[in-house]
Amino acid sequence: MGGAVQYVVDLRDIDEGQVAAVGGKGAQLGALARIDGIRVPDGFCVTTEAFRRVVAVPLDELSRVDPDDRAAIRALSAEIRRTVEGIALPGEVADAITGALAGAEVPFAVRSSATAEDLPTASFAGQQDTYLNVVGAAAILRDISRCWASLFTERAVIYRQRNGIDHRAVQMAVVVQRMVFPRASGILFTADPVTGNRTVATVDAGFGLGEALVSGLVNPDVFKVRNGVIVAKTIAAKERAVEAVAAGGTREVPIDPVQQAEPALTEAQVVELVRLGRRIEAHFGRPQDIEWCLDGDGFQIVQARPITTLFPIPEAADEENHVYASVGHGQMMTDAMKPLGLSVWRHTAMVPMHEAGGRLFVDVTPRLAAPTSRAALLDVMGRGDPLMRDALETVLERADFVPSRPDPAPAPAPAAPPPIETDPAIVAGLIERSRESIAALEKDIRAHHGPALFDFLVDAFAEHKRMLGDPVSMQAIMAGMDSTWWLNDRLEEWLGETNAADTLTLSAPGNVTSEMGLALLDVADVVRARPEVAAYLEGVSDDGFLDELPKLDGGTEVRDAIEAYLDRYGMRCVGEIDITRPRWRERPSTLVPVILDNVRNFAPGAAARRFEEGRQKALRKEEEILSRLRNLPDGEEKAAETKRMIDRVRTFIGYREYPKYGIISRYFVYKQALLREAARLVPGEPEDVFYLTFEEFRAAVGENRVDRELIRQRKEDFRAYQALTPPRVLTSDGEGVSGEYRRTDVPDGALTGVAVSAGTVEGRARVVLDLADADLEAGDILVTAFTDPSWSPLFVGIAGLVTEVGGQMTHGAVIAREYGLPAVVGVAQATRLIRDGQRIRVHGTAGYVELLST
């Protein structure tokens, strides 16, 4: 803006690169005014230079306030606003503003425009103030001060805190525009804000000023437009409107009953508005939330901002339709992942993957296109997660979205491997080979540094995938799963037994994940016998506590027990498929609350006792089942076949958990080596490399420099991705589909899910979103978003399980069955619909949750 200080700038002289000077809204409006064919009301912007000249409020105290202390925020923000509104404008600032008004006594709109506003990752919609129909220079100057003060409203302060934006870094500009007196106004979304579909635009329209819609005073007319055609519309009864008052300000007025049911826009006007919206969207390169007015000369655009709630779309190399299935829902980790975590998972995955919104997806379009592969995919998805199958079927119902292709001509089938025998030695051999491979990796990786480390890791990733794809390992996994399904299907058919395998698999041998939970009970036994150590652990808050334990009576034994546990399981953590997540070995204090819960809730020897109780229960169930089968027609044959399947499931179902253990063990080795490089590359901030992909990290090591701006942008992106909820299925149109349960056998008010572990239990719900925050008592029911294997230590102390994500063979389901916990997974929004402390009843056999007392 030149060397001289500029307090006012005309909108026509602004573009989107001037956010620091004119704020987000001002920059957007200036850019809009430059788009051919887009009309924007004339006006100017009072720059952030004026804000800094006038508002010199110390904000250090505001930055130190606890974000959860609403009372303190309310009091401090009110004090700051009073101070700002009471500051007299310096003469040069006031002169610049009145000069821009040029003596015009026409009405204006005075609108806040913060530098953190209308951004791609945070819209700040409605966080600062706007004043309409302001007449006269004195009133305009007053309202500019009020706009500056609105930067410190309670809602704006909290919004910034929740979005990680420093109060001291935000400045306020103010847009002053000629007032428009529209016949109709409203909002245009160039992508469907509910489904995310980028091909569908949504128009909300009402009579008069848009404040009637924004404030919820009236229901708008709603039009949906695809490819220039209105595909749906709802005309509302618009009983009231907001209009300008001649002396200034606005008022509510009733609408004539005859006019109320008339559409605010004609269909031709709707189509024209969407055409303008597409032009704006193309200019900014992303879907837009646009505020518009219709006056006698046509449409005027009074605001455009990015739609920040849309889930991003994976990039594709063509213009064809694609259907993507969420990887996170299968892996029980739907949180956003950092770039290094995403890229390492892609390097080590068995199938190609696509990234969007910090999550991974698999393109299933080719498998959906052909009848045979489609049926197989839907069957596998349905067994694992019925909601995933329903979401895919919902997309298939979209006419021609996935064009049907004939099955390819069958290729000569390779010789089928011989059926795997039911032999525990097979599992033992697989586990031993995995251990040897990891030991070799740990030994060999130490010799590699710098660029050579990354060359080594590329080869290690290939070995990683070879281990995952071991045909014998795959057969062992499928043997456990197939025999589970066989038992459930046949015993329901023959005996009316529902989910019989849930009991038959109790305490199955060799399950490394369930052993992990029981092993922490053994650690608790060591702690319980040493009261001084138990008391010390109650106050532990950092990860240096292990070094302090030997100073206490019995502390050496407790330290050794915890260290032994970490040697075996320290590579695990919540969200462990993301290599950047802190492992238990890195943050052992994470385990302390769980150990203390075990000390309080269990008697000595609980681990061995729990395992033996489960084993005996499974044996009794086996005897009962076989006895009942022998009384049926062909009973001896059915009993013999069932016995063979029971032996098969108990041999192989525990191994289902071992490959994941192997993956995470290797990940920890990779991570330790990568962090050693990071410490040399970015001393003091090694975890900054988590915001680089593997390839970018490799290049940075080769060049011995890091792109700081790239890391800063990636951190902003990651914060935005954390706020998004990934759908189970995502289309290339941007439509997110999460699936529905189509059941009629669930009581009114109950929450539907997937039955994964039989039994019914009633108890207190404990809603836990972070394992480190768990505070459980015996008989509690754990309610959480998802449970990967790291949650299994909590399973030994609860009575039931409810999760938002999961299916029959996901880790949480397998371990719930191992421990005999009634469990229902895939319960949409369970952590929001079930209140912490509420009594609930979990129907693990029927697959639903009843909400009892409040």
Side-chain angles (χ1 to χ4, degrees):
M1 291 179 11
V5 173
Q6 194 167 4
Y7 296 127
V8 170
V9 60
D10 192 282
L11 280 180
R12 290 167 296 188
D13 297 329
I14 296 171
D15 62 36
E16 59 258 54
Q18 294 173 253
V19 171
V22 299
K25 186 183 284 102
Q28 291 283 103
L29 286 168
L32 284 166
R34 292 165 172 256
I35 303 174
D36 185 42
I38 302 300
R39 295 174 61 232
V40 175
D42 292 338
F44 59 89
C45 191
V46 181
T47 68
T48 54
E49 288 283 0
F51 176 81
R52 284 190 292 272
R53 173 77 171 79
V54 176
V55 182
V57 180
L59 299 177
D60 291 344
E61 186 177 353
L62 189 61
S63 298
R64 291 192 295 268
V65 172
D66 184 340
D68 295 324
D69 190 345
R70 298 290 293 269
I73 292 173
R74 186 177 302 115
L76 190 54
S77 62
E79 180 183 341
I80 293 172
R81 289 198 310 279
R82 285 193 297 270
T83 300
V84 172
E85 290 182 18
I87 298 173
L89 270 65
E92 61 269 32
V93 175
D95 290 347
I97 296 169
T98 55
L101 292 171
E105 289 295 319
V106 297
F108 284 86
V110 180
R111 313 172 68 195
S112 301
S113 179
T115 53
E117 182 171 284
D118 293 350
L119 303 177
T121 57
S123 73
F124 278 74
Q127 297 305 310
Q128 280 89 45
D129 288 349
T130 287
Y131 300 94
L132 300 179
N133 198 31
V134 184
V135 181
I140 289 171
L141 293 174
R142 177 202 64 204
D143 287 344
I144 287 171
S145 291
R146 292 166 71 188
C147 283
W148 286 334
S150 74
L151 190 63
F152 306 106
T153 61
E154 179 184 354
R155 66 178 183 272
V157 168
I158 292 171
Y159 189 94
R160 286 195 294 273
Q161 288 175 321
R162 289 178 177 171
N163 284 274
I165 296 171
D166 189 340
H167 303 299
R168 293 163 293 191
V170 182
Q171 306 289 316
M172 176 71 84
V174 180
V175 174
V176 180
Q177 288 178 282
R178 291 289 184 103
M179 187 68 190
V180 179
F181 300 97
R183 188 186 75 79
S185 58
I187 301 169
L188 161 63
F189 297 96
T190 63
D192 190 310
V194 177
T195 68
N197 194 319
R198 271 51 161 195
T199 69
V200 176
T202 300
V203 176
D204 290 0
F207 295 119
L209 293 168
E211 276 53 44
L213 270 61
V214 174
S215 65
L217 181 64
V218 297
N219 291 323
D221 297 338
V222 180
F223 302 86
K224 292 187 179 293
V225 180
R226 181 190 287 117
N227 298 325
V229 177
I230 295 176
V231 295
K233 65 178 179 180
T234 302
I235 306 303
K238 301 169 286 296
E239 297 179 356
R240 304 186 70 77
V242 174
E243 66 175 25
V245 178
T250 62
R251 66 179 180 183
E252 293 179 18
V253 295
I255 295 177
D256 182 272
V258 175
Q259 186 186 8
Q260 288 177 10
E262 292 180 1
L265 296 177
T266 67
E267 293 195 356
Q269 287 170 333
V270 169
V271 172
E272 168 64 12
L273 177 60
V274 171
R275 186 186 66 78
L276 295 175
R278 292 294 182 207
R279 186 177 296 177
I280 294 169
E281 178 185 66
H283 176 85
F284 290 115
R286 65 182 68 229
Q288 297 287 304
D289 166 355
I290 298 166
E291 294 182 22
W292 57 268
C293 295
L294 177 66
D295 62 10
D297 296 322
F299 289 105
Q300 294 208 56
I301 305 302
V302 295
Q303 192 159 335
R305 62 172 71 92
I307 306 175
T308 59
T309 56
L310 298 177
F311 200 87
I313 306 172
E315 292 185 5
D318 56 43
E319 298 297 320
E320 300 295 319
N321 291 342
H322 293 269
V323 181
Y324 303 97
S326 166
V327 173
H329 283 82
Q331 289 295 329
M332 301 296 285
M333 212 294 275
T334 56
D335 289 350
M337 296 170 65
K338 295 186 177 75
L340 186 62
L342 290 166
S343 61
V344 169
W345 187 263
R346 291 181 69 175
H347 273 289
T348 54
M350 299 299 292
V351 296
M353 293 189 179
H354 302 262
E355 297 175 25
R359 278 79 169 186
L360 291 168
F361 294 85
V362 174
D363 187 349
V364 295
T365 319
R367 295 188 66 184
L368 289 175
T372 301
S373 59
R374 179 192 311 140
L377 177 67
L378 292 175
D379 181 62
V380 170
M381 292 292 189
R383 285 184 178 273
D385 181 352
L387 289 178
M388 182 73 80
R389 173 173 184 147
D390 184 79
L392 291 171
E393 289 177 334
T394 299
V395 174
L396 288 170
E397 291 169 3
R398 310 277 193 264
D400 301 325
F401 188 83
V402 180
S404 185
R405 297 189 178 95
D407 288 319
I420 191 169
E421 298 178 17
T422 303
D423 183 356
I426 294 173
V427 171
L430 288 168
I431 291 173
E432 183 57 29
R433 286 199 292 277
S434 176
R435 287 174 176 165
E436 290 172 354
S437 176
I438 293 167
L441 172 67
E442 290 175 328
K443 174 177 176 293
D444 295 343
I445 203 169
R446 295 191 191 103
H448 297 85
H449 307 283
L453 171 65
F454 292 85
D455 295 338
F456 173 84
L457 284 172
V458 169
D459 292 336
F461 294 160
E463 168 65 7
H464 183 122
K465 290 197 282 189
R466 189 194 69 76
M467 293 294 296
L468 275 182
D470 182 328
V472 178
S473 177
M474 299 297 290
Q475 281 186 291
I477 292 170
M478 290 310 302
M481 294 170 68
D482 287 341
S483 52
T484 297
W485 293 331
W486 188 97
L487 286 166
N488 282 337
D489 292 346
R490 293 296 187 279
L491 295 180
E492 184 168 15
E493 176 188 348
W494 293 338
L495 298 175
E497 283 272 352
T498 303
N499 297 331
D502 293 359
T503 305
L504 294 168
T505 55
L506 288 171
S507 297
N511 188 317
V512 69
T513 305
S514 62
E515 290 169 357
M516 178 170 64
L518 295 175
L520 207 59
L521 287 176
D522 291 334
V523 173
D525 285 351
V526 180
V527 174
R528 188 184 297 104
R530 294 157 178 85
E532 183 180 346
V533 177
Y536 168 76
L537 290 178
E538 291 284 357
V540 163
S541 59
D542 62 62
D543 295 308
F545 73 96
L546 288 173
D547 296 331
E548 299 298 315
L549 287 177
K551 301 174 184 177
L552 305 173
D553 183 24
T556 299
E557 292 85 351
V558 171
R559 182 200 60 188
D560 291 347
I562 294 175
E563 287 284 359
Y565 185 88
L566 291 172
D567 287 344
R568 174 79 163 141
Y569 305 109
M571 78 294 293
R572 311 218 80 148
C573 68
V574 173
E576 61 192 10
I577 68 170
D578 182 352
I579 196 173
T580 72
R581 290 287 189 101
R583 311 284 136 174
W584 290 344
R585 170 55 78 181
E586 296 168 315
R587 291 190 186 169
S589 60
T590 304
L591 294 172
V592 171
V594 187
I595 294 171
L596 292 173
D597 281 347
N598 288 345
V599 170
R600 286 190 290 269
N601 297 333
F602 292 93
R609 190 164 56 252
R610 287 283 296 269
F611 186 83
E612 182 59 21
E613 286 171 357
R615 195 179 73 85
Q616 291 297 329
K617 190 172 181 180
L619 286 173
R620 290 194 297 271
K621 187 66 174 179
E622 176 182 331
E623 291 172 1
E624 175 212 325
I625 289 288
L626 296 179
S627 174
R628 291 169 61 193
L629 286 173
R630 292 188 184 103
N631 292 325
L632 299 177
D634 301 321
E636 289 297 335
E637 181 180 335
K638 289 174 179 173
E641 192 173 9
T642 299
K643 171 61 175 169
R644 184 172 67 85
M645 284 298 180
I646 292 173
D647 291 345
R648 195 167 178 79
V649 77
R650 292 192 64 81
T651 298
F652 292 113
I653 198 62
Y655 180 72
R656 161 75 176 79
E657 292 294 299
Y658 202 86
K660 182 72 170 286
Y661 176 80
I663 291 171
I664 303 308
S665 297
R666 298 180 74 90
Y667 266 26
F668 192 40
V669 178
Y670 305 154
K671 182 180 184 180
Q672 290 173 305
L674 289 169
L675 281 176
R676 287 193 290 270
E677 288 303 314
R680 287 189 282 269
L681 183 65
V682 278
E685 298 179 308
E687 294 190 357
D688 274 1
V689 302
F690 294 164
Y691 296 93
L692 302 175
T693 66
F694 179 81
E695 292 76 16
E696 291 165 347
F697 189 4
R698 185 179 194 174
V701 168
E703 299 169 4
N704 198 33
R705 61 175 295 276
V706 171
D707 186 339
R708 291 288 184 181
E709 176 57 26
L710 176 63
I711 288 175
R712 185 198 65 77
Q713 183 60 52
R714 291 280 176 75
K715 287 180 178 180
E716 285 188 11
D717 292 343
F718 180 70
R719 277 197 297 268
Y721 295 155
Q722 286 179 301
L724 299 176
T725 300
R728 281 178 168 79
V729 170
L730 183 64
T731 74
S732 50
D733 283 348
E735 182 177 8
V737 187
S738 292
E740 297 178 3
Y741 293 108
R742 303 177 190 272
R743 295 176 55 181
T744 59
D745 60 337
V746 175
D748 290 343
L751 307 180
T752 306
V754 182
V756 297
S757 185
T760 300
V761 65
E762 181 179 322
R764 180 180 67 161
R766 295 314 307 261
V767 179
V768 180
L769 300 180
D770 186 333
L771 186 146
D773 297 332
D775 181 14
L776 300 167
E777 297 179 3
D780 283 348
I781 297 170
L782 174 63
V783 180
T784 190
F786 55 80
T787 57
D788 59 13
S790 69
W791 288 76
S792 66
L794 293 185
F795 285 21
V796 299
I798 58 176
L801 173 69
V802 179
T803 70
E804 295 180 344
V805 177
Q808 278 284 350
M809 299 309 295
T810 48
H811 298 277
V814 172
I815 305 308
R817 290 193 289 271
E818 276 280 311
Y819 290 159
L821 299 175
V824 179
V825 303
V827 180
Q829 301 186 55
T831 59
R832 300 175 195 174
L833 298 175
I834 300 172
R835 291 183 297 279
D836 186 52
Q838 181 176 17
R839 289 195 68 78
I840 62 174
R841 186 179 297 122
V842 177
H843 294 263
T845 305
Y848 62 89
V849 180
E850 288 184 279
L851 309 181
L852 303 177
S853 67
T854 58

